[in-house]
Amino acid sequence: MPDFANHVIGTVRTVGSASVTVRLSEDALATPGLASRYRIGGTLKLPVEGSLIFGTVRSVAATSEKGVDLTVDFLGERTEGTFSRGVRHFPMPGTEVLTTDDDDLAAVYAPTSDRTVRIGTVFPSDTLAAGIDAEAMLSRHFAILGSTGTGKSTTTALIIHRLVEANPNAHIVILDPHNEYERAFQTNGVHVTTENLSIPYWLMNFEEHVELLIGRNTEGREAEIDILKRCLLDARKKSSATVGASRLTVDTPIPYKLTDLLARLDEELGRLDKAENVRPFLRLKLKIEELRTDQRYAFMFSGLLMQDNLASLVAKLMRFPVDGRPVSTLDLSGVPSDIVDVVVSLLSRLVFDFSMWSRSQRQARPVLLVCEEAHRYVPNAETETRIQSARKSLERIAKEGRKYGVSLGLVSQRPSDLSEAVLSQCGTILSMRMNNDRDRAFVTASMPEGSESFLASLPTLQNRECIIAGEGAPCPMRVRLDFLEEALRPASDDPRFTESWRQDIDCLDELVNDTIRNWRRGVR
């Protein structure tokens, strides 16, 4: 079976700044099997002034003269064996158009580098390796987007496994809202839950204190904020001598006792002589007492957390030392919904602040922070309903993280609900199948680069396929992702309705009673 490499299939009719129109020759139309090389998504080349211009087929249309025209979007130019994005020498009408060979495709889609990690094969080939430049992807952030069920979590796991294989001393933190990733990283990761991680309340900055203790749009809010600021600063000052802080602010991560904060509130309350001024103090005291006694918040407000455990928290969260397990997965499913934004803000800010203050250290190490369900924590302005301290923390990483060695990976099924400011900072985007028109349009507008031929295929991508564009890819490409064995995949499989409904329940009491017991204990 001929492979039709370097076969002339037609000539250029019209030339634009980003694409050309190609008229197929009668020979190309009549040759059996050749059509597979110029179908939508195929890669073609045009020899121009000693260079080769490469492009992908965006559309195929019949003409009034019973011919066939292709619209081919430019990918880049190969000169003296080296491929680069962008076109310097444009073709003229009449230029011959040829099919590509394996050497061409390898130069365009699979340049060799010690920084490249393989994640699949280039469409439509089954052998040409598709890789991502890890350094370029991590230094400019990345996003993995796609509709539900298209394989985003598995793709995320695949990329992290390949990064860890190539870089065994990496430091990777995954914010996991559904406890999906524990199974995927059992052999090379540490699973962290509210049961085995103590997050100290005093590590919150002032904005996070306000979001947790006061909230938004509450009556008398400004008075409560002013009171909280004064009392919190005094409580921190009382403990500052033990940690040697010279420049103390309300945000300085110094341990303080909740009893000291309450005592300062009582002290100011005792000075008041008007009943109407008492309400802000009482609301603050009530909220603090509620957090202290509610067992749902014990991982933050337990009495044991008044000790300075910041060093152990950083070491466990960011994997210092790595000890053969460079990935930490943070299970957020056990965090109460009314506090999860504050927890995400605190953890992501902890990663950023530690990296920022450690840059002067000789052994400082970069960190990758992966945020699943990113649209929940960094929503766009239209969907914002709270103060969103989490959004501000993640936006800061997106804008400034690369200066201090913090890479951000966003995973989302609703890209149109994501903050545009954050997504625009992602230099590499991996997009799975998109069924929603609004999401598709948003991804198209957010792509760092990409020809229409690739973006137009978003609704027709199969599972385990994605479009990659941006800094981490040599050029926009459609990729068939490598198969990841089940033991390395996240636990994100959907329940099988019809299969389950064909079988009766063997032990009904066990199902109901055990479920209710776990429900009441808060253990999944």
Side-chain angles (χ1 to χ4, degrees), residues 363-421:
Q363 297 190 14
R365 291 292 183 268
V367 179
L368 167 61
L369 177 66
V370 178
C371 183
E372 261 279 3
E373 298 283 354
H375 55 276
R376 293 172 55 178
Y377 309 115
V378 277
N380 60 33
E382 294 178 6
T383 58
E384 183 178 3
T385 58
R386 299 180 298 277
I387 296 174
Q388 286 293 346
S389 56
R391 173 181 173 172
K392 292 184 179 180
S393 294
L394 290 168
E395 279 187 348
R396 189 182 183 196
I397 293 176
K399 294 174 182 177
E400 305 175 35
R402 64 187 184 88
K403 301 176 186 176
Y404 304 109
V406 182
S407 178
L408 181 63
L410 302 177
V411 185
S412 176
Q413 66 190 30
R414 291 307 309 269
S416 60
D417 289 342
L418 267 171
S419 165
E420 214 169 334

Side-chain angles (χ1 to χ4, degrees), residues 80-151:
E80 297 180 354
T82 302
F83 176 81
S84 60
R85 288 177 284 193
V87 175
R88 292 178 57 198
H89 307 95
F90 286 86
M92 295 295 290
T95 300
E96 288 188 335
V97 179
L98 292 77
T99 58
T100 51
D101 57 28
D102 291 343
D103 182 56
D104 293 325
L105 295 175
V108 173
Y109 296 112
T112 57
S113 167
D114 58 357
R115 308 189 314 183
T116 301
V117 293
R118 174 190 165 123
I119 61 169
T121 55
V122 178
F123 176 87
S125 169
D126 292 325
T127 57
L128 181 62
I132 292 182
D133 185 325
E135 186 66 30
M137 179 184 74
L138 295 173
S139 63
R140 293 295 187 272
H141 310 308
F142 66 94
I144 300 175
L145 311 172
S147 299
T148 302
T150 54

Side-chain angles (χ1 to χ4, degrees), residues 61-82:
T63 68
S64 57
E65 297 90 5
K66 297 184 179 180
V68 174
D69 281 354
L70 311 178
T71 301
V72 180
D73 292 325
F74 294 135
L75 281 177
E77 188 171 341
R78 187 183 184 190
T79 305
E80 297 180 354
T82 302

Side-chain angles (χ1 to χ4, degrees), residues 171-175 317-318 326 328 330 351 367-371:
H171 301 271
I172 301 173
V173 181
I174 304 177
L175 301 179
L317 179 68
M318 299 170 65
S328 61
L330 275 69
V351 171
V367 179
L368 167 61
L369 177 66
V370 178
C371 183

Side-chain angles (χ1 to χ4, degrees), residues 99-318:
T99 58
T100 51
D101 57 28
D102 291 343
D103 182 56
D104 293 325
L105 295 175
V108 173
Y109 296 112
T112 57
S113 167
D114 58 357
R115 308 189 314 183
T116 301
V117 293
R118 174 190 165 123
I119 61 169
T121 55
V122 178
F123 176 87
S125 169
D126 292 325
T127 57
L128 181 62
I132 292 182
D133 185 325
E135 186 66 30
M137 179 184 74
L138 295 173
S139 63
R140 293 295 187 272
H141 310 308
F142 66 94
I144 300 175
L145 311 172
S147 299
T148 302
T150 54
K152 297 183 302 301
S153 299
T154 303
T155 302
T156 303
L158 170 66
I159 291 174
I160 293 176
H161 278 301
R162 294 293 163 82
L163 288 173
V164 168
E165 289 168 7
N167 308 277
N169 291 312
H171 301 271
I172 301 173
V173 181
I174 304 177
L175 301 179
D176 182 6
H178 302 302
N179 193 23
E180 293 179 335
Y181 289 92
E182 177 184 9
R183 184 180 76 177
F185 300 102
Q186 285 184 342
T187 60
N188 56 3
V190 172
H191 188 59
V192 181
T193 71
T194 54
E195 300 292 325
N196 61 15
L197 180 68
S198 298
I199 304 175
Y201 60 84
W202 50 260
L203 192 54
M204 293 187 294
N205 63 15
F206 181 63
E207 184 176 32
E208 290 157 359
H209 273 88
V210 170
E211 182 165 344
L212 183 60
L213 299 178
I214 299 174
R216 186 181 186 185
N217 296 331
T218 55
E219 185 181 354
R221 182 172 181 273
E222 294 304 321
E224 288 184 59
I225 290 176
D226 185 54
I227 295 167
L228 178 60
K229 189 172 187 177
R230 294 196 308 270
C231 296
L232 178 59
L233 183 59
D234 286 342
R236 289 200 193 275
K237 283 180 179 178
K238 193 168 182 179
S239 305
S240 60
T242 61
V243 295
S246 57
R247 299 179 61 184
L248 181 64
T249 72
V250 74
D251 290 328
T252 306
I254 290 178
Y256 72 88
K257 295 181 180 179
L258 286 177
T259 51
D260 289 340
L261 179 58
L262 289 169
R264 189 69 180 91
L265 285 169
D266 284 334
E267 184 180 335
E268 290 209 4
L269 185 58
R271 298 173 185 170
L272 300 178
D273 55 4
K274 293 183 179 180
E276 60 268 22
N277 294 331
V278 173
R279 291 178 183 174
F281 291 90
L282 295 180
R283 279 197 293 262
L284 276 173
K285 287 189 63 177
L286 183 63
K287 184 63 176 179
I288 294 171
E289 292 291 356
E290 175 190 330
L291 293 172
R292 290 179 67 190
T293 57
D294 193 329
Q295 286 302 305
R296 295 180 303 159
Y297 310 111
F299 67 97
M300 285 188 73
F301 293 93
S302 169
L304 299 176
L305 300 184
M306 284 179 272
Q307 60 183 341
D308 187 356
N309 64 332
L310 183 54
S312 61
L313 175 62
V314 167
K316 185 170 188 176
L317 179 68
M318 299 170 65

